[in-house]
PDB file of all heavy atoms in Angstrom:
ATOM      1  N   ALA B 108      14.450 -11.925 -14.559  1.00 97.00           N
ATOM      2  CA  ALA B 108      14.183 -11.505 -15.894  1.00 97.00           C
ATOM      3  C   ALA B 108      12.919 -10.600 -15.958  1.00 97.00           C
ATOM      4  O   ALA B 108      12.949  -9.577 -16.620  1.00 97.00           O
ATOM      5  CB  ALA B 108      14.012 -12.690 -16.836  1.00 97.00           C
ATOM      6  N   ALA B 111      13.874  -7.205 -14.549  1.00 97.00           N
ATOM      7  CA  ALA B 111      14.745  -6.486 -15.455  1.00 97.00           C
ATOM      8  C   ALA B 111      14.038  -5.758 -16.540  1.00 97.00           C
ATOM      9  O   ALA B 111      14.372  -4.755 -16.999  1.00 97.00           O
ATOM     10  CB  ALA B 111      15.812  -7.400 -15.955  1.00 97.00           C
ATOM     11  N   ALA B 112      12.864  -6.438 -17.033  1.00 97.00           N
ATOM     12  CA  ALA B 112      12.172  -5.855 -18.054  1.00 97.00           C
ATOM     13  C   ALA B 112      10.994  -4.988 -17.556  1.00 97.00           C
ATOM     14  O   ALA B 112      10.633  -3.997 -18.226  1.00 97.00           O
ATOM     15  CB  ALA B 112      11.552  -6.993 -18.968  1.00 97.00           C
ATOM     16  N   LEU B 117      16.131  -0.664 -14.786  1.00 98.00           N
ATOM     17  CA  LEU B 117      16.963  -1.829 -14.844  1.00 98.00           C
ATOM     18  C   LEU B 117      17.192  -2.294 -16.336  1.00 98.00           C
ATOM     19  O   LEU B 117      18.211  -2.721 -16.715  1.00 98.00           O
ATOM     20  CB  LEU B 117      16.423  -2.977 -14.040  1.00 98.00           C
ATOM     21  CG  LEU B 117      16.208  -2.721 -12.537  1.00 98.00           C
ATOM     22  CD1 LEU B 117      15.612  -3.951 -11.862  1.00 98.00           C
ATOM     23  CD2 LEU B 117      17.471  -2.270 -11.878  1.00 98.00           C
ATOM     24  N   THR B 118      16.123  -2.040 -17.118  1.00 98.00           N
ATOM     25  CA  THR B 118      16.271  -2.369 -18.551  1.00 98.00           C
ATOM     26  C   THR B 118      17.347  -1.532 -19.236  1.00 98.00           C
ATOM     27  O   THR B 118      18.175  -2.052 -19.986  1.00 98.00           O
ATOM     28  CB  THR B 118      14.938  -2.116 -19.256  1.00 98.00           C
ATOM     29  OG1 THR B 118      13.922  -2.819 -18.642  1.00 98.00           O
ATOM     30  CG2 THR B 118      14.988  -2.457 -20.735  1.00 98.00           C
ATOM     31  N   VAL B 119      17.339  -0.204 -18.866  1.00 98.00           N
ATOM     32  CA  VAL B 119      18.388   0.686 -19.408  1.00 98.00           C
ATOM     33  C   VAL B 119      19.752   0.210 -18.995  1.00 98.00           C
ATOM     34  O   VAL B 119      20.782   0.273 -19.764  1.00 98.00           O
ATOM     35  CB  VAL B 119      18.104   2.113 -19.019  1.00 98.00           C
ATOM     36  CG1 VAL B 119      19.263   3.012 -19.370  1.00 98.00           C
ATOM     37  CG2 VAL B 119      16.797   2.607 -19.675  1.00 98.00           C
ATOM     38  N   ARG B 121      20.726  -2.843 -18.326  1.00 98.00           N
ATOM     39  CA  ARG B 121      21.042  -4.049 -19.109  1.00 98.00           C
ATOM     40  C   ARG B 121      21.463  -3.596 -20.505  1.00 98.00           C
ATOM     41  O   ARG B 121      22.445  -4.135 -21.115  1.00 98.00           O
ATOM     42  CB  ARG B 121      19.773  -4.973 -19.218  1.00 98.00           C
ATOM     43  CG  ARG B 121      19.401  -5.583 -17.935  1.00 98.00           C
ATOM     44  CD  ARG B 121      20.385  -6.692 -17.457  1.00 98.00           C
ATOM     45  NE  ARG B 121      19.952  -7.391 -16.239  1.00 98.00           N
ATOM     46  CZ  ARG B 121      19.397  -8.575 -16.211  1.00 98.00           C
ATOM     47  NH1 ARG B 121      19.157  -9.199 -17.291  1.00 98.00           N
ATOM     48  NH2 ARG B 121      19.054  -9.083 -15.091  1.00 98.00           N
ATOM     49  N   PHE B 122      20.775  -2.673 -21.143  1.00 98.00           N
ATOM     50  CA  PHE B 122      21.080  -2.164 -22.485  1.00 98.00           C
ATOM     51  C   PHE B 122      22.466  -1.589 -22.485  1.00 98.00           C
ATOM     52  O   PHE B 122      23.297  -1.796 -23.441  1.00 98.00           O
ATOM     53  CB  PHE B 122      20.115  -1.110 -22.915  1.00 98.00           C
ATOM     54  CG  PHE B 122      18.731  -1.661 -23.211  1.00 98.00           C
ATOM     55  CD1 PHE B 122      17.681  -0.778 -23.610  1.00 98.00           C
ATOM     56  CD2 PHE B 122      18.435  -3.042 -23.328  1.00 98.00           C
ATOM     57  CE1 PHE B 122      16.462  -1.272 -23.971  1.00 98.00           C
ATOM     58  CE2 PHE B 122      17.210  -3.563 -23.607  1.00 98.00           C
ATOM     59  CZ  PHE B 122      16.184  -2.665 -23.978  1.00 98.00           C
ATOM     60  N   ARG B 124      24.904  -2.290 -20.381  1.00 98.00           N
ATOM     61  CA  ARG B 124      25.902  -3.367 -20.202  1.00 98.00           C
ATOM     62  C   ARG B 124      26.122  -4.174 -21.367  1.00 98.00           C
ATOM     63  O   ARG B 124      27.272  -4.576 -21.773  1.00 98.00           O
ATOM     64  CB  ARG B 124      25.305  -4.309 -19.071  1.00 98.00           C
ATOM     65  CG  ARG B 124      26.164  -5.460 -18.725  1.00 98.00           C
ATOM     66  CD  ARG B 124      25.420  -6.518 -17.905  1.00 98.00           C
ATOM     67  NE  ARG B 124      24.428  -7.196 -18.744  1.00 98.00           N
ATOM     68  CZ  ARG B 124      23.506  -8.111 -18.323  1.00 98.00           C
ATOM     69  NH1 ARG B 124      23.427  -8.320 -17.003  1.00 98.00           N
ATOM     70  NH2 ARG B 124      22.642  -8.652 -19.090  1.00 98.00           N
ATOM     71  N   ASP B 125      25.054  -4.421 -22.207  1.00 98.00           N
ATOM     72  CA  ASP B 125      25.191  -5.311 -23.339  1.00 98.00           C
ATOM     73  C   ASP B 125      25.279  -4.599 -24.744  1.00 98.00           C
ATOM     74  O   ASP B 125      25.304  -5.283 -25.708  1.00 98.00           O
ATOM     75  CB  ASP B 125      23.956  -6.284 -23.429  1.00 98.00           C
ATOM     76  CG  ASP B 125      23.869  -7.155 -22.139  1.00 98.00           C
ATOM     77  OD1 ASP B 125      24.917  -7.460 -21.541  1.00 98.00           O
ATOM     78  OD2 ASP B 125      22.760  -7.502 -21.746  1.00 98.00           O
ATOM     79  N   GLY B 126      25.385  -3.318 -24.653  1.00 98.00           N
ATOM     80  CA  GLY B 126      25.573  -2.585 -25.909  1.00 98.00           C
ATOM     81  C   GLY B 126      24.352  -2.572 -26.799  1.00 98.00           C
ATOM     82  O   GLY B 126      24.458  -2.522 -28.054  1.00 98.00           O
ATOM     83  N   ILE B 127      23.123  -2.547 -26.178  1.00 98.00           N
ATOM     84  CA  ILE B 127      21.937  -2.512 -26.986  1.00 98.00           C
ATOM     85  C   ILE B 127      21.637  -0.998 -27.276  1.00 98.00           C
ATOM     86  O   ILE B 127      21.498  -0.200 -26.389  1.00 98.00           O
ATOM     87  CB  ILE B 127      20.746  -3.078 -26.202  1.00 98.00           C
ATOM     88  CG1 ILE B 127      21.057  -4.560 -25.713  1.00 98.00           C
ATOM     89  CG2 ILE B 127      19.508  -3.099 -27.028  1.00 98.00           C
ATOM     90  CD1 ILE B 127      21.318  -5.521 -26.780  1.00 98.00           C
ATOM     91  N   ALA B 128      21.496  -0.683 -28.538  1.00 98.00           N
ATOM     92  CA  ALA B 128      21.259   0.673 -28.976  1.00 98.00           C
ATOM     93  C   ALA B 128      19.985   1.260 -28.455  1.00 98.00           C
ATOM     94  O   ALA B 128      18.879   0.564 -28.576  1.00 98.00           O
ATOM     95  CB  ALA B 128      21.292   0.748 -30.508  1.00 98.00           C
ATOM     96  N   HIS B 129      19.966   2.367 -27.774  1.00 98.00           N
ATOM     97  CA  HIS B 129      18.839   2.996 -27.229  1.00 98.00           C
ATOM     98  C   HIS B 129      19.077   4.513 -27.125  1.00 98.00           C
ATOM     99  O   HIS B 129      20.226   4.969 -27.197  1.00 98.00           O
ATOM    100  CB  HIS B 129      18.461   2.418 -25.890  1.00 98.00           C
ATOM    101  CG  HIS B 129      19.479   2.683 -24.827  1.00 98.00           C
ATOM    102  ND1 HIS B 129      20.710   1.990 -24.787  1.00 98.00           N
ATOM    103  CD2 HIS B 129      19.567   3.541 -23.774  1.00 98.00           C
ATOM    104  CE1 HIS B 129      21.433   2.364 -23.762  1.00 98.00           C
ATOM    105  NE2 HIS B 129      20.707   3.331 -23.145  1.00 98.00           N
ATOM    106  N   VAL B 210       7.963  -5.831 -31.920  1.00 98.00           N
ATOM    107  CA  VAL B 210       8.450  -7.094 -32.483  1.00 98.00           C
ATOM    108  C   VAL B 210       8.340  -8.223 -31.474  1.00 98.00           C
ATOM    109  O   VAL B 210       8.844  -8.085 -30.314  1.00 98.00           O
ATOM    110  CB  VAL B 210       9.932  -6.941 -32.889  1.00 98.00           C
ATOM    111  CG1 VAL B 210      10.484  -8.181 -33.533  1.00 98.00           C
ATOM    112  CG2 VAL B 210      10.091  -5.784 -33.929  1.00 98.00           C
ATOM    113  N   VAL B 212       9.350 -11.600 -30.045  1.00 98.00           N
ATOM    114  CA  VAL B 212      10.554 -12.487 -30.106  1.00 98.00           C
ATOM    115  C   VAL B 212      10.237 -13.760 -29.225  1.00 98.00           C
ATOM    116  O   VAL B 212       9.821 -13.673 -28.062  1.00 98.00           O
ATOM    117  CB  VAL B 212      11.824 -11.800 -29.555  1.00 98.00           C
ATOM    118  CG1 VAL B 212      12.948 -12.803 -29.551  1.00 98.00           C
ATOM    119  CG2 VAL B 212      12.126 -10.583 -30.420  1.00 98.00           C
ATOM    120  N   GLY B 214      12.306 -17.082 -28.149  1.00 96.00           N
ATOM    121  CA  GLY B 214      13.618 -17.735 -28.207  1.00 96.00           C
ATOM    122  C   GLY B 214      14.582 -16.829 -29.016  1.00 96.00           C
ATOM    123  O   GLY B 214      14.797 -15.687 -28.619  1.00 96.00           O
ATOM    124  N   ARG B 251      18.055  -5.256 -39.487  1.00 97.00           N
ATOM    125  CA  ARG B 251      18.599  -4.597 -38.278  1.00 97.00           C
ATOM    126  C   ARG B 251      17.691  -4.616 -37.122  1.00 97.00           C
ATOM    127  O   ARG B 251      18.037  -4.782 -35.966  1.00 97.00           O
ATOM    128  CB  ARG B 251      18.991  -3.115 -38.670  1.00 97.00           C
ATOM    129  CG  ARG B 251      19.421  -2.223 -37.538  1.00 97.00           C
ATOM    130  CD  ARG B 251      20.586  -2.793 -36.747  1.00 97.00           C
ATOM    131  NE  ARG B 251      21.010  -1.934 -35.674  1.00 97.00           N
ATOM    132  CZ  ARG B 251      21.801  -2.272 -34.634  1.00 97.00           C
ATOM    133  NH1 ARG B 251      22.119  -3.557 -34.543  1.00 97.00           N
ATOM    134  NH2 ARG B 251      22.099  -1.431 -33.703  1.00 97.00           N
ATOM    135  N   LEU B 252      16.330  -4.438 -37.396  1.00 98.00           N
ATOM    136  CA  LEU B 252      15.351  -4.462 -36.274  1.00 98.00           C
ATOM    137  C   LEU B 252      15.204  -5.873 -35.755  1.00 98.00           C
ATOM    138  O   LEU B 252      14.962  -6.051 -34.553  1.00 98.00           O
ATOM    139  CB  LEU B 252      14.075  -3.924 -36.857  1.00 98.00           C
ATOM    140  CG  LEU B 252      14.045  -2.423 -37.324  1.00 98.00           C
ATOM    141  CD1 LEU B 252      12.632  -1.981 -37.624  1.00 98.00           C
ATOM    142  CD2 LEU B 252      14.708  -1.513 -36.267  1.00 98.00           C
ATOM    143  N   THR B 253      15.280  -6.836 -36.608  1.00 98.00           N
ATOM    144  CA  THR B 253      15.239  -8.193 -36.156  1.00 98.00           C
ATOM    145  C   THR B 253      16.370  -8.468 -35.204  1.00 98.00           C
ATOM    146  O   THR B 253      16.266  -9.071 -34.083  1.00 98.00           O
ATOM    147  CB  THR B 253      15.262  -9.189 -37.296  1.00 98.00           C
ATOM    148  OG1 THR B 253      14.150  -9.002 -38.175  1.00 98.00           O
ATOM    149  CG2 THR B 253      15.359 -10.658 -36.824  1.00 98.00           C
ATOM    150  N   GLU B 254      17.547  -8.146 -35.587  1.00 98.00           N
ATOM    151  CA  GLU B 254      18.783  -8.368 -34.732  1.00 98.00           C
ATOM    152  C   GLU B 254      18.600  -7.605 -33.444  1.00 98.00           C
ATOM    153  O   GLU B 254      18.973  -8.204 -32.373  1.00 98.00           O
ATOM    154  CB  GLU B 254      19.977  -7.766 -35.541  1.00 98.00           C
ATOM    155  CG  GLU B 254      21.254  -7.777 -34.801  1.00 98.00           C
ATOM    156  CD  GLU B 254      22.368  -7.003 -35.505  1.00 98.00           C
ATOM    157  OE1 GLU B 254      22.385  -7.132 -36.754  1.00 98.00           O
ATOM    158  OE2 GLU B 254      23.110  -6.292 -34.819  1.00 98.00           O
ATOM    159  N   LEU B 255      18.157  -6.396 -33.485  1.00 98.00           N
ATOM    160  CA  LEU B 255      18.028  -5.562 -32.256  1.00 98.00           C
ATOM    161  C   LEU B 255      16.964  -6.213 -31.288  1.00 98.00           C
ATOM    162  O   LEU B 255      17.267  -6.262 -30.075  1.00 98.00           O
ATOM    163  CB  LEU B 255      17.655  -4.106 -32.590  1.00 98.00           C
ATOM    164  CG  LEU B 255      18.643  -3.060 -32.604  1.00 98.00           C
ATOM    165  CD1 LEU B 255      18.008  -1.738 -33.011  1.00 98.00           C
ATOM    166  CD2 LEU B 255      19.439  -2.986 -31.329  1.00 98.00           C
ATOM    167  N   ALA B 256      15.864  -6.609 -31.852  1.00 98.00           N
ATOM    168  CA  ALA B 256      14.801  -7.143 -30.972  1.00 98.00           C
ATOM    169  C   ALA B 256      15.249  -8.440 -30.337  1.00 98.00           C
ATOM    170  O   ALA B 256      15.003  -8.637 -29.118  1.00 98.00           O
ATOM    171  CB  ALA B 256      13.571  -7.410 -31.860  1.00 98.00           C
ATOM    172  N   VAL B 257      15.959  -9.313 -30.983  1.00 98.00           N
ATOM    173  CA  VAL B 257      16.469 -10.501 -30.385  1.00 98.00           C
ATOM    174  C   VAL B 257      17.475 -10.189 -29.395  1.00 98.00           C
ATOM    175  O   VAL B 257      17.468 -10.757 -28.190  1.00 98.00           O
ATOM    176  CB  VAL B 257      17.012 -11.566 -31.465  1.00 98.00           C
ATOM    177  CG1 VAL B 257      17.671 -12.711 -30.789  1.00 98.00           C
ATOM    178  CG2 VAL B 257      15.844 -12.003 -32.364  1.00 98.00           C
ATOM    179  N   ALA B 258      18.356  -9.331 -29.645  1.00 98.00           N
ATOM    180  CA  ALA B 258      19.455  -8.939 -28.728  1.00 98.00           C
ATOM    181  C   ALA B 258      18.879  -8.398 -27.431  1.00 98.00           C
ATOM    182  O   ALA B 258      19.330  -8.593 -26.300  1.00 98.00           O
ATOM    183  CB  ALA B 258      20.464  -8.005 -29.377  1.00 98.00           C
ATOM    184  N   ALA B 259      17.892  -7.512 -27.542  1.00 98.00           N
ATOM    185  CA  ALA B 259      17.288  -6.838 -26.421  1.00 98.00           C
ATOM    186  C   ALA B 259      16.567  -7.874 -25.525  1.00 98.00           C
ATOM    187  O   ALA B 259      16.584  -7.736 -24.283  1.00 98.00           O
ATOM    188  CB  ALA B 259      16.248  -5.778 -26.877  1.00 98.00           C
ATOM    189  N   THR B 260      15.894  -8.812 -26.137  1.00 98.00           N
ATOM    190  CA  THR B 260      15.202  -9.946 -25.372  1.00 98.00           C
ATOM    191  C   THR B 260      16.246 -10.736 -24.647  1.00 98.00           C
ATOM    192  O   THR B 260      16.069 -11.016 -23.503  1.00 98.00           O
ATOM    193  CB  THR B 260      14.406 -10.768 -26.334  1.00 98.00           C
ATOM    194  OG1 THR B 260      13.490  -9.977 -27.065  1.00 98.00           O
ATOM    195  CG2 THR B 260      13.664 -11.884 -25.616  1.00 98.00           C
ATOM    196  N   VAL B 261      17.354 -11.098 -25.244  1.00 98.00           N
ATOM    197  CA  VAL B 261      18.353 -11.853 -24.618  1.00 98.00           C
ATOM    198  C   VAL B 261      18.949 -10.976 -23.442  1.00 98.00           C
ATOM    199  O   VAL B 261      19.257 -11.538 -22.356  1.00 98.00           O
ATOM    200  CB  VAL B 261      19.459 -12.208 -25.641  1.00 98.00           C
ATOM    201  CG1 VAL B 261      20.672 -12.781 -24.895  1.00 98.00           C
ATOM    202  CG2 VAL B 261      18.962 -13.177 -26.625  1.00 98.00           C
ATOM    203  N   SER B 262      19.086  -9.719 -23.604  1.00 98.00           N
ATOM    204  CA  SER B 262      19.704  -8.820 -22.679  1.00 98.00           C
ATOM    205  C   SER B 262      18.862  -8.895 -21.329  1.00 98.00           C
ATOM    206  O   SER B 262      19.480  -8.914 -20.192  1.00 98.00           O
ATOM    207  CB  SER B 262      19.752  -7.384 -23.128  1.00 98.00           C
ATOM    208  OG  SER B 262      20.288  -6.530 -22.133  1.00 98.00           O
ATOM    209  N   THR B 263      17.576  -8.997 -21.414  1.00 97.00           N
ATOM    210  CA  THR B 263      16.764  -9.017 -20.224  1.00 97.00           C
ATOM    211  C   THR B 263      16.632 -10.428 -19.678  1.00 97.00           C
ATOM    212  O   THR B 263      16.208 -10.602 -18.561  1.00 97.00           O
ATOM    213  CB  THR B 263      15.319  -8.436 -20.562  1.00 97.00           C
ATOM    214  OG1 THR B 263      14.707  -9.248 -21.537  1.00 97.00           O
ATOM    215  CG2 THR B 263      15.373  -6.963 -20.859  1.00 97.00           C
ATOM    216  N   GLY B 264      16.894 -11.412 -20.477  1.00 97.00           N
ATOM    217  CA  GLY B 264      16.824 -12.840 -19.967  1.00 97.00           C
ATOM    218  C   GLY B 264      15.545 -13.450 -20.182  1.00 97.00           C
ATOM    219  O   GLY B 264      15.199 -14.455 -19.642  1.00 97.00           O
ATOM    220  N   LEU B 265      14.651 -12.805 -21.036  1.00 98.00           N
ATOM    221  CA  LEU B 265      13.255 -13.386 -21.278  1.00 98.00           C
ATOM    222  C   LEU B 265      13.304 -14.322 -22.435  1.00 98.00           C
ATOM    223  O   LEU B 265      14.003 -14.182 -23.419  1.00 98.00           O
ATOM    224  CB  LEU B 265      12.329 -12.246 -21.627  1.00 98.00           C
ATOM    225  CG  LEU B 265      12.021 -11.228 -20.462  1.00 98.00           C
ATOM    226  CD1 LEU B 265      11.246 -10.042 -21.063  1.00 98.00           C
ATOM    227  CD2 LEU B 265      11.237 -11.906 -19.346  1.00 98.00           C
ATOM    228  N   PRO B 266      12.501 -15.498 -22.338  1.00 97.00           N
ATOM    229  CA  PRO B 266      12.371 -16.395 -23.476  1.00 97.00           C
ATOM    230  C   PRO B 266      11.389 -15.881 -24.467  1.00 97.00           C
ATOM    231  O   PRO B 266      11.342 -16.472 -25.612  1.00 97.00           O
ATOM    232  CB  PRO B 266      11.882 -17.657 -22.753  1.00 97.00           C
ATOM    233  CG  PRO B 266      11.142 -17.206 -21.575  1.00 97.00           C
ATOM    234  CD  PRO B 266      11.784 -15.937 -21.143  1.00 97.00           C
ATOM    235  N   PHE B 267      10.524 -14.943 -24.137  1.00 98.00           N
ATOM    236  CA  PHE B 267       9.478 -14.369 -25.064  1.00 98.00           C
ATOM    237  C   PHE B 267       9.234 -12.929 -24.613  1.00 98.00           C
ATOM    238  O   PHE B 267       9.239 -12.614 -23.457  1.00 98.00           O
ATOM    239  CB  PHE B 267       8.187 -15.235 -24.920  1.00 98.00           C
ATOM    240  CG  PHE B 267       7.027 -14.585 -25.650  1.00 98.00           C
ATOM    241  CD1 PHE B 267       6.971 -14.745 -27.015  1.00 98.00           C
ATOM    242  CD2 PHE B 267       6.005 -13.921 -24.961  1.00 98.00           C
ATOM    243  CE1 PHE B 267       5.931 -14.120 -27.776  1.00 98.00           C
ATOM    244  CE2 PHE B 267       4.949 -13.303 -25.683  1.00 98.00           C
ATOM    245  CZ  PHE B 267       4.939 -13.469 -27.075  1.00 98.00           C
ATOM    246  N   ALA B 268       9.136 -12.073 -25.597  1.00 98.00           N
ATOM    247  CA  ALA B 268       8.937 -10.713 -25.291  1.00 98.00           C
ATOM    248  C   ALA B 268       8.360  -9.931 -26.451  1.00 98.00           C
ATOM    249  O   ALA B 268       8.428 -10.369 -27.663  1.00 98.00           O
ATOM    250  CB  ALA B 268      10.250 -10.050 -24.834  1.00 98.00           C
ATOM    251  N   GLY B 269       7.817  -8.745 -26.240  1.00 98.00           N
ATOM    252  CA  GLY B 269       7.454  -7.844 -27.249  1.00 98.00           C
ATOM    253  C   GLY B 269       8.366  -6.609 -27.156  1.00 98.00           C
ATOM    254  O   GLY B 269       8.329  -5.893 -26.131  1.00 98.00           O
ATOM    255  N   VAL B 270       9.192  -6.374 -28.172  1.00 98.00           N
ATOM    256  CA  VAL B 270      10.189  -5.290 -28.109  1.00 98.00           C
ATOM    257  C   VAL B 270       9.705  -4.056 -28.903  1.00 98.00           C
ATOM    258  O   VAL B 270       9.309  -4.202 -30.059  1.00 98.00           O
ATOM    259  CB  VAL B 270      11.492  -5.843 -28.668  1.00 98.00           C
ATOM    260  CG1 VAL B 270      12.576  -4.774 -28.502  1.00 98.00           C
ATOM    261  CG2 VAL B 270      11.946  -7.146 -27.958  1.00 98.00           C
ATOM    262  N   ASP B 271       9.747  -2.936 -28.259  1.00 98.00           N
ATOM    263  CA  ASP B 271       9.365  -1.705 -28.946  1.00 98.00           C
ATOM    264  C   ASP B 271      10.626  -0.994 -29.338  1.00 98.00           C
ATOM    265  O   ASP B 271      11.553  -0.774 -28.592  1.00 98.00           O
ATOM    266  CB  ASP B 271       8.520  -0.758 -28.027  1.00 98.00           C
ATOM    267  CG  ASP B 271       7.224  -1.339 -27.631  1.00 98.00           C
ATOM    268  OD1 ASP B 271       6.733  -2.192 -28.434  1.00 98.00           O
ATOM    269  OD2 ASP B 271       6.637  -0.984 -26.620  1.00 98.00           O
ATOM    270  N   LEU B 272      10.681  -0.655 -30.605  1.00 98.00           N
ATOM    271  CA  LEU B 272      11.909  -0.017 -31.182  1.00 98.00           C
ATOM    272  C   LEU B 272      11.630   0.833 -32.392  1.00 98.00           C
ATOM    273  O   LEU B 272      10.531   0.798 -32.929  1.00 98.00           O
ATOM    274  CB  LEU B 272      12.932  -1.090 -31.487  1.00 98.00           C
ATOM    275  CG  LEU B 272      12.743  -2.059 -32.614  1.00 98.00           C
ATOM    276  CD1 LEU B 272      14.030  -2.842 -32.892  1.00 98.00           C
ATOM    277  CD2 LEU B 272      11.662  -3.052 -32.337  1.00 98.00           C
ATOM    278  N   VAL B 279      17.001   1.815 -32.646  1.00 98.00           N
ATOM    279  CA  VAL B 279      17.131   1.964 -31.191  1.00 98.00           C
ATOM    280  C   VAL B 279      15.913   1.267 -30.529  1.00 98.00           C
ATOM    281  O   VAL B 279      14.793   1.316 -30.986  1.00 98.00           O
ATOM    282  CB  VAL B 279      17.141   3.493 -30.813  1.00 98.00           C
ATOM    283  CG1 VAL B 279      18.421   4.120 -31.155  1.00 98.00           C
ATOM    284  CG2 VAL B 279      15.975   4.207 -31.460  1.00 98.00           C
ATOM    285  N   VAL B 280      16.195   0.686 -29.319  1.00 98.00           N
ATOM    286  CA  VAL B 280      15.159  -0.006 -28.589  1.00 98.00           C
ATOM    287  C   VAL B 280      14.560   0.947 -27.561  1.00 98.00           C
ATOM    288  O   VAL B 280      15.375   1.607 -26.889  1.00 98.00           O
ATOM    289  CB  VAL B 280      15.731  -1.289 -27.942  1.00 98.00           C
ATOM    290  CG1 VAL B 280      14.647  -1.955 -27.121  1.00 98.00           C
ATOM    291  CG2 VAL B 280      16.320  -2.203 -28.984  1.00 98.00           C
ATOM    292  N   PHE B 281      13.276   0.935 -27.354  1.00 97.00           N
ATOM    293  CA  PHE B 281      12.650   1.761 -26.358  1.00 97.00           C
ATOM    294  C   PHE B 281      12.419   0.920 -25.092  1.00 97.00           C
ATOM    295  O   PHE B 281      12.832   1.265 -24.016  1.00 97.00           O
ATOM    296  CB  PHE B 281      11.329   2.281 -26.859  1.00 97.00           C
ATOM    297  CG  PHE B 281      11.418   3.243 -27.980  1.00 97.00           C
ATOM    298  CD1 PHE B 281      10.467   3.217 -29.071  1.00 97.00           C
ATOM    299  CD2 PHE B 281      12.457   4.245 -28.009  1.00 97.00           C
ATOM    300  CE1 PHE B 281      10.568   4.160 -30.067  1.00 97.00           C
ATOM    301  CE2 PHE B 281      12.505   5.129 -29.032  1.00 97.00           C
ATOM    302  CZ  PHE B 281      11.575   5.133 -30.100  1.00 97.00           C
ATOM    303  N   GLU B 282      11.829  -0.272 -25.244  1.00 96.00           N
ATOM    304  CA  GLU B 282      11.581  -1.051 -24.042  1.00 96.00           C
ATOM    305  C   GLU B 282      11.291  -2.525 -24.515  1.00 96.00           C
ATOM    306  O   GLU B 282      11.074  -2.796 -25.680  1.00 96.00           O
ATOM    307  CB  GLU B 282      10.427  -0.588 -23.228  1.00 96.00           C
ATOM    308  CG  GLU B 282       9.089  -0.576 -23.913  1.00 96.00           C
ATOM    309  CD  GLU B 282       8.006  -0.128 -22.955  1.00 96.00           C
ATOM    310  OE1 GLU B 282       7.989  -0.435 -21.792  1.00 96.00           O
ATOM    311  OE2 GLU B 282       7.077   0.617 -23.405  1.00 96.00           O
ATOM    312  N   VAL B 283      11.352  -3.424 -23.526  1.00 98.00           N
ATOM    313  CA  VAL B 283      11.043  -4.771 -23.676  1.00 98.00           C
ATOM    314  C   VAL B 283       9.837  -5.151 -22.812  1.00 98.00           C
ATOM    315  O   VAL B 283       9.868  -4.977 -21.606  1.00 98.00           O
ATOM    316  CB  VAL B 283      12.303  -5.708 -23.350  1.00 98.00           C
ATOM    317  CG1 VAL B 283      11.896  -7.216 -23.569  1.00 98.00           C
ATOM    318  CG2 VAL B 283      13.466  -5.320 -24.206  1.00 98.00           C
ATOM    319  N   ASN B 284       8.778  -5.626 -23.450  1.00 97.00           N
ATOM    320  CA  ASN B 284       7.558  -5.907 -22.692  1.00 97.00           C
ATOM    321  C   ASN B 284       7.559  -7.396 -22.309  1.00 97.00           C
ATOM    322  O   ASN B 284       7.656  -8.313 -23.201  1.00 97.00           O
ATOM    323  CB  ASN B 284       6.306  -5.678 -23.565  1.00 97.00           C
ATOM    324  CG  ASN B 284       6.280  -4.165 -23.951  1.00 97.00           C
ATOM    325  OD1 ASN B 284       5.722  -3.378 -23.136  1.00 97.00           O
ATOM    326  ND2 ASN B 284       6.779  -3.759 -25.057  1.00 97.00           N
TER     327      ASN B 284
END
Side-chain angles (χ1 to χ4, degrees):
L117 300 183
T118 304
V119 171
R121 294 289 183 100
F122 287 175
R124 180 195 70 185
D125 299 330
I127 307 298
H129 62 286
V210 182
V212 177
R251 172 57 177 162
L252 298 189
T253 297
E254 172 191 324
L255 261 180
V257 172
T260 303
V261 171
S262 179
T263 58
L265 294 169
F267 172 77
V270 183
D271 293 339
L272 66 172
V279 288
V280 179
F281 294 140
E282 65 178 320
V283 180
N284 297 275

